[in-house]
Amino acid sequence: MSALVATDTASLPRTAARRQMRLRWGRLAAWAWLGFVFLFIYAPIIVVIGASVDPGHYVVTRAFLQFPPQGFTLHWYVNVAPALWASIFVSLKLAASVTIGAVLLGTPAALGLVRGTFPGRNLVATLFRVPLQIPFIVTGVAFLQAFYAVASVSPLRLQGSITGLFLAHLFVATPYVISAAGTALAQLSPRLDEAALSLGASRWRTFRRITLPLILPGIFGGAMFAFLVSFTDVTIALFLAPQEAITFPVWVFGSIQNDLETSLPAVSTMVFVASALIVVVLQRLVGMETVLRSGGGAKN
Amino acid sequence: MRAAGRFWGLLLIPPALFSGGLLLLTQIVFLSASFHADEGLGVAGQAFTWENYQQVWRDPEYLQSLGLTLRLAALVVLVTLVMTWPVAYLLSRTSPRIAMVLIAAIIATSFVTLPIKTLGMVILFATDGALMRSLRALGLADAHFRFVGSFFAVAVGYTHLAISFMVTMLFSVFQAIPQRLEEAATIHGATRLRVLWRVVLPLSLPGTVSATLVLFNLLTGAFVSAVLLGGGKILTLSLLIQRSLILFNEYGMAAALAGVLLLLVLLVNIVSVVAVSRLTPAARVIA
Amino acid sequence: MTRITAMIGAIALALGSLAGAAQAQTAPKDFGGVTLRVATFPATWAERIRAEVGEPLAAVGIKLEFIPGTSAEFLAKLVAARGQPAPFDVVEIADETYPDFRQGDFLKKLDLSQIPNTSLLDPALFDEYHVANWLSEPAIVYNVDKFAAAGIPAPKHFSDLADPKLAGRVLVADISVYIAYYEITALAYENGGSETDPAPGFAALKRIAPQSATNSMATAAQLVGSGEVWAAIWPAHLAQRLAHDGINVSVVHPVIKGKSVAIARGYVGIVANSALQDAGQYYINAILAQHVQQRFHTESGLGPVNRDVQRTAAAVAAKDRAGVPFSKLAPEDIADAWWPDYKVINKRDWAKQFQRALAN
């Protein structure tokens, strides 16, 4: 131990200064890297935002996007087809339900996997991982065919229904919550639980007061994924989309395949800004900051 | 504590029934189709046959596509890992307020649906645009390079898809490693680099591997980027499966292709998990 | 006096019956508030239909519901739904999927007497199972300015796109969209082949070495409009849209099989086990009407099937800067059209060869 410590008191200030320098350069490099990654992520977004304010030559419809914008207009922001707003609403409702369902199913599953002791635990863990290993396109078709099979032997009509799509999305979203919550749980020290129980708290109380707040950021992360997967899914929704209302990404995909809906960049920008704000607000509600600050109750 | 273990175990029943039940139902119906010949227009032959799988093996196009899909996924996962590992670590060691805002900024970009982002990428990498001209001037790009229809383009598209997921997953991995451990090592004279290598890396390995696998699985199944940026030249297996289903209505062949892909992906997952558990016997690899 | 009034009367009667034929059925019907599910192209397309015929149909008790997708997707859904109630009633049928629709017995035989507007169509555009409602004209769309700047003469044949000066500047249609069958067929015929012997066509495609192949209208518009690509094998109405945005484009319709223009037809049909045949036929008749056809043509540039609209459209057709119309819409042109013989095309085989031709 002592060998690692600089014992030469005369050179102490110099090594310390050199280390400070290295730290500073290291930090600079790290932040520069972060800047580069952000640039990479944001480059296409900036193009989309720029294209959303570009008037084009022919104001009513526009065949293609331009960047940098050759002018400025908010025309596209104001003239959005009502069907587009409707599809966003459908996607929001669907994603919210899927998220709630995934959390309700995934949290107990994570608890069971991490804390449970029974034979074949690894097998069950694999079972929960499998939905994420099946390509989404296969999931879409497999579910469609399964729904038809079900329809032929029962009065259930799940094909082309929002319920059917909900089930498929829930199927692929739950593993994210299980994974995120499970990881958070695994990092948790069991001593916290033991301490609470030894002080007389019931198991439920322990869970609610101790465990849950500490794994909440993990659940939140998983829930965010679940929402993201459902809100942005194109592949599965293409097969299972309900007749009455299609989801937003399917609408966008269809528009790109056929007739470019000119207000798309504007709508995408609005969705982008809204989601950024909502995520920040949610983070605050969930108390991410306090948990992050305290280090998450990790094992020592 | 055994009773506790069993109690926790019981919690698994509802989600397991849901997930397992749907998995069984859908996969049985779909994979059983792979063992029947396609007689056109979705009609399947009655006899059980290996013909579809044999075709996959015999046909160089399918094998090439399989190789391409796996290569693409592996490459993108690696690149994403290299890009996001330092970022996630840095964010986990900054003030929580800044970290939260920056993470929110990254996640928000995923809400811009991929099809529109790809149009943005097409504009960015326009052959006569500023970016490509500079790259050509710097000698980093060939005069004949065209973005749309290139492996590079699809890789870039996939990377955009992957980054948000990876940053968030890695962030929670790092966030769970107490900073005290690193501080202790630094006090004892270890350099920053050494701390990263000896303390952070081993502790974050299981979580990183698990995140990597999730991403790898996601990417082998992704197909929107390939459709929009692949220009008909980059044919990932998911694209071929979609073509089998929609263009040719060959359910048997599509199911066989999907089955092969699934098998390979599962293999990669198992091998990785085993390899990691060998390396760090003390770490528990969760979902 | 009586002779003149008799003549006027006769003319009025003739005009009246003509008007009657051009409208929906003269006897107003009530379908009793049924919901007609129409499977057609998504987004703007469906909205246009709703805007034009939504109210008139609602007035006779038909409520419209749109299922978005492409013809191939609809076919896939019908295949999956075999033995089940129909997932939709009216379906958009693309040319190249029609043989499959028939082979699978997915279409109901139509009572053409209930679709009187078919009298306004060229006989080649409808039969007892499907009725065309739009036309597109695959051709060469090219950027006149870019060609001039590079010193390339205007293309006359599809094969001219193999010009080395055009390296990396050509866009073609992907095999997953109907236009590909036109480009391969045309290239085949230009190089001594045919639908049954497409190898020369694929060889020609390989010589063209396109920058990419796409099935997306938006991508095609983006690539040509932004100047990324200088020429594309794509339907002519793309040029009309780009010209609106100020791009100097022109269209060439090479002569193939001795015919002057390529026509792709979009049909509608009624699903075999749909319960709404009468409502479906009423709908089909409605979308053949003049105002609907006119709107579709004006907004999307697609060719109308209604002969009256064709005549007016040809007269006011969008032209390039040299005064040449982009599309050939006059009924005489439509009658002198070619299309691939889908009955002899093996799609799987063509897809494979297409892939090989495109591989670097």
Side-chain angles (χ1 to χ4, degrees):
Chain A
M1 207 78 77
S2 52
L4 293 168
V5 178
T7 44
D8 184 345
T9 41
S11 65
L12 200 57
R14 241 188 34 238
T15 46
R18 215 178 288 148
R19 184 184 296 157
Q20 279 286 65
M21 270 281 277
R22 243 178 301 167
L23 268 168
R24 202 164 289 157
W25 278 115
R27 291 229 113 194
L28 211 69
W31 282 99
W33 188 255
L34 187 122
F36 163 69
V37 172
F38 258 81
L39 189 67
F40 178 82
I41 300 177
Y42 268 83
I45 309 278
I46 295 173
V47 173
V48 171
I49 298 178
S52 73
V53 295
D54 170 57
H57 297 260
Y58 190 60
V59 181
V60 175
T61 60
R62 197 176 50 182
F64 63 99
L65 306 179
Q66 275 186 127
F67 184 85
Q70 315 264 336
F72 185 89
T73 176
L74 289 174
H75 176 89
W76 312 115
Y77 283 86
V78 181
N79 290 307
V80 181
L84 191 47
W85 286 127
S87 73
I88 293 183
F89 196 53
V90 168
S91 282
L92 276 174
K93 271 194 297 181
L94 178 65
S97 334
V98 169
T99 307
I100 294 173
V103 169
L104 289 177
L105 278 178
T107 316
L111 283 165
L113 275 179
V114 177
R115 301 229 167 130
T117 49
F118 55 92
R121 205 169 52 149
N122 270 324
L123 196 65
V124 181
T126 314
L127 166 77
F128 284 125
R129 259 201 302 268
V130 172
L132 289 181
Q133 291 168 343
I134 307 173
F136 276 15
I137 188 165
V138 177
T139 309
V141 178
F143 267 77
L144 185 66
Q145 288 196 289
F147 288 162
Y148 275 119
V150 163
S152 65
V153 297
S154 80
L156 279 173
R157 292 270 173 274
L158 290 166
Q159 63 272 25
S161 74
I162 197 90
T163 321
L165 185 56
F166 167 77
L167 286 175
H169 274 184
L170 188 59
F171 180 70
V172 298
T174 310
Y176 283 108
V177 176
I178 299 178
S179 163
T183 315
L185 265 173
Q187 313 284 11
L188 217 54
S189 168
R191 258 177 279 168
L192 291 161
D193 262 34
E194 288 165 29
L197 283 169
S198 69
L199 286 171
S202 75
R203 209 187 295 282
W204 172 246
R205 197 123 185 242
T206 316
F207 174 72
R208 199 162 58 89
R209 286 308 208 75
I210 312 257
T211 323
L212 194 59
L214 288 173
I215 61 170
L216 208 55
I219 298 180
F220 179 70
M224 193 126 64
F225 279 169
F227 189 88
L228 198 63
V229 165
S230 172
F231 189 78
T232 57
D233 164 64
V234 177
T235 333
I236 300 178
L238 271 177
F239 285 96
L240 303 175
Q243 328 273 51
E244 322 80 55
I246 58 169
T247 62
F248 174 56
V250 171
W251 209 101
V252 174
F253 192 69
S255 173
I256 301 252
Q257 293 292 86
N258 291 284
D259 253 328
L260 183 65
E261 173 60 43
T262 39
S263 56
L264 269 179
V267 173
S268 302
T269 308
M270 289 192 270
V271 169
F272 165 68
V273 172
S275 58
L277 292 171
I278 292 175
V279 171
V280 171
V281 166
L282 283 176
Q283 280 174 331
R284 207 145 285 181
L285 278 176
V286 156
M288 281 279 270
E289 206 177 316
T290 17
V291 183
L292 288 178
R293 220 184 280 277
S294 67
K299 287 198 206 111
N300 298 334
Chain B
M1 276 297 128
R2 184 105 70 90
R6 212 164 289 159
F7 162 74
W8 292 121
L10 282 174
L11 279 179
L12 276 169
I13 295 183
L17 279 176
F18 172 78
S19 227
L22 274 179
L23 184 68
L24 234 62
L25 174 68
T26 55
Q27 292 311 306
I28 284 179
V29 171
F30 190 71
L31 287 176
S32 71
S34 72
F35 291 109
H36 296 269
D38 291 306
E39 290 175 2
L41 277 187
V43 176
Q46 291 290 72
F48 180 97
T49 169
W50 286 97
E51 178 61 27
N52 292 322
Y53 286 99
Q54 287 173 329
Q55 255 193 51
V56 174
W57 186 251
R58 267 185 269 138
D59 198 322
E61 259 102 23
Y62 287 136
L63 292 177
Q64 263 171 25
S65 174
L66 189 61
L68 170 79
T69 309
L70 293 174
R71 263 197 338 265
L72 193 56
L75 180 73
V76 171
V77 161
L78 222 65
V79 168
T80 311
L81 194 60
V82 165
M83 286 181 93
T84 55
W85 207 92
V87 171
Y89 178 71
L90 183 63
L91 287 179
S92 70
R93 298 292 178 253
T94 1
S95 101
R97 191 163 293 166
I98 296 180
M100 272 167 43
V101 168
L102 289 178
I103 288 189
I106 294 178
I107 292 179
T109 60
S110 303
F111 281 92
V112 180
T113 35
L114 206 53
I116 272 284
K117 261 197 286 199
T118 53
L119 264 191
M121 289 178 222
V122 169
I123 295 177
L124 259 179
F125 284 92
T127 308
D128 302 316
L131 179 60
M132 283 309 298
R133 266 187 284 140
S134 337
L135 288 178
R136 280 196 298 264
L138 288 171
L140 291 169
D142 180 58
H144 295 290
F145 175 76
R146 300 284 180 260
F147 183 68
V148 179
S150 66
F151 183 87
F152 176 73
V154 180
V156 168
Y158 275 15
T159 310
H160 270 94
L161 178 67
I163 283 192
S164 311
F165 283 99
M166 196 60 130
V167 167
T168 332
M169 285 193 281
L170 285 183
F171 177 79
S172 59
V173 168
F174 288 124
Q175 194 259 312
I177 300 174
Q179 269 182 272
R180 270 163 285 150
L181 286 176
E182 293 166 58
E183 285 164 25
T186 321
I187 288 174
H188 283 118
T191 61
R192 208 84 187 82
L193 231 62
R194 217 187 155 120
V195 171
L196 283 172
W197 181 251
R198 278 314 203 82
V199 180
V200 179
L201 194 63
L203 283 177
S204 63
L205 198 61
T208 309
V209 169
S210 140
T212 309
L213 283 178
V214 168
L215 220 51
F216 179 79
N217 296 334
L218 183 75
L219 292 174
T220 49
F223 97 117
V224 173
S225 293
V227 169
L228 296 172
L229 293 171
K233 292 182 188 170
I234 308 296
L235 297 166
T236 58
L237 205 63
S238 46
L239 212 142
L240 288 183
I241 294 175
Q242 193 246 7
R243 275 204 188 160
S244 275
L245 283 168
I246 304 287
L247 278 190
F248 312 127
N249 287 299
E250 288 175 350
Y251 284 110
M253 197 61 224
L257 287 170
V260 170
L261 183 64
L262 193 58
L263 203 67
L264 274 153
V265 167
L266 280 172
L267 253 152
V268 170
N269 275 259
I270 293 173
V271 165
S272 316
V273 167
V274 164
V276 168
S277 66
R278 285 278 157 82
L279 285 171
T280 55
R284 275 152 64 192
V285 183
I286 312 297
Chain C
M1 206 59 166
T2 40
R3 216 177 323 134
I4 298 174
T5 43
M7 233 174 26
I8 294 174
I11 294 171
L13 204 63
L15 283 173
S17 59
L18 251 172
Q23 304 300 331
Q25 286 86 335
T26 43
K29 279 192 175 159
D30 192 340
F31 292 89
V34 292
T35 301
L36 189 69
R37 295 161 305 168
V38 178
T40 186
F41 298 109
T44 338
W45 184 275
E47 293 309 304
R48 248 179 237 138
I49 299 179
R50 196 195 291 280
E52 282 301 312
V53 300
E55 266 182 44
L57 286 180
V60 293
I62 301 179
K63 180 165 152 340
L64 285 178
E65 197 180 88
F66 291 102
I67 288 107
T70 61
S71 189
E73 283 161 16
F74 299 143
L75 181 63
K77 284 205 177 141
L78 285 174
V79 166
R82 246 205 201 92
Q84 306 270 338
F88 33 76
D89 304 297
V90 179
V91 63
E92 188 80 36
I93 305 166
D95 244 337
E96 76 279 9
T97 57
Y98 181 60
D100 293 328
F101 271 91
R102 287 302 307 280
Q103 202 187 336
D105 282 321
F106 290 122
L107 296 174
K108 205 189 271 284
K109 197 160 179 188
L110 300 168
D111 178 5
L112 290 174
S113 67
Q114 294 298 311
I115 315 179
N117 279 341
T118 47
S119 60
L120 296 165
L121 270 56
D122 187 299
L125 296 175
F126 67 94
D127 69 17
E128 286 170 317
Y129 286 93
H130 63 342
V131 179
N133 67 327
W134 56 264
L135 301 173
S136 92
E137 298 180 358
I140 305 176
V141 176
Y142 72 101
N143 187 322
V144 179
D145 290 337
K146 299 280 186 189
F147 267 60
I152 311 173
K156 291 208 191 60
H157 314 278
F158 287 104
S159 306
D160 292 343
L161 294 174
D163 189 324
K165 291 206 203 116
L166 281 173
R169 297 290 188 182
V170 177
L171 176 73
V172 299
D174 184 56
I175 195 68
S176 53
V177 71
Y178 69 90
I179 310 163
Y181 297 110
Y182 283 80
E183 71 198 11
I184 301 300
T185 305
L187 287 170
Y189 276 100
E190 279 179 3
N191 291 277
S194 70
E195 287 100 329
T196 43
D197 173 31
F202 288 110
L205 181 64
K206 200 168 181 84
R207 282 195 299 273
I208 293 178
Q211 190 212 75
S212 55
T214 184
N215 60 3
S216 147
M217 173 60 149
T219 308
Q222 187 65 39
L223 292 177
V224 183
S226 64
E228 172 75 18
V229 144
W230 298 347
I233 301 182
W234 204 261
H237 61 275
L238 170 68
Q240 191 171 326
R241 311 273 287 284
L242 292 174
H244 269 157
D245 274 352
I247 313 292
N248 185 4
V249 281
S250 186
V251 178
V252 175
H253 298 268
V255 173
I256 304 288
K257 299 202 236 188
K259 306 281 187 176
S260 61
V261 65
I263 297 277
R265 295 146 301 175
Y267 296 92
V268 280
I270 299 183
V271 175
N273 54 340
S274 158
L276 299 173
Q277 180 170 0
D278 291 331
Q281 282 166 175
Y282 194 87
Y283 168 86
I284 296 177
N285 201 61
I287 60 175
L288 295 176
Q290 182 150 9
H291 63 110
V292 182
Q293 290 279 305
Q294 185 63 53
R295 173 163 180 165
F296 265 79
H297 170 67
T298 315
E299 288 192 11
S300 70
L302 286 174
V305 293
N306 182 320
R307 255 192 237 116
D308 298 329
V309 182
Q310 282 173 356
R311 262 183 225 113
T312 47
V316 300
K319 302 183 175 67
D320 64 15
R321 295 198 194 163
V324 178
F326 293 122
S327 304
K328 295 189 174 195
L329 296 167
E332 312 81 62
D333 294 322
I334 307 289
D336 183 34
W338 68 272
W339 48 81
D341 184 2
Y342 289 108
K343 289 198 288 299
V344 301
I345 292 178
N346 179 330
K347 290 196 198 139
R348 278 285 249 113
D349 185 55
W350 280 45
K352 271 225 156 53
Q353 297 201 54
F354 191 88
Q355 253 172 263
R356 267 183 228 135
L358 233 54
N360 292 330

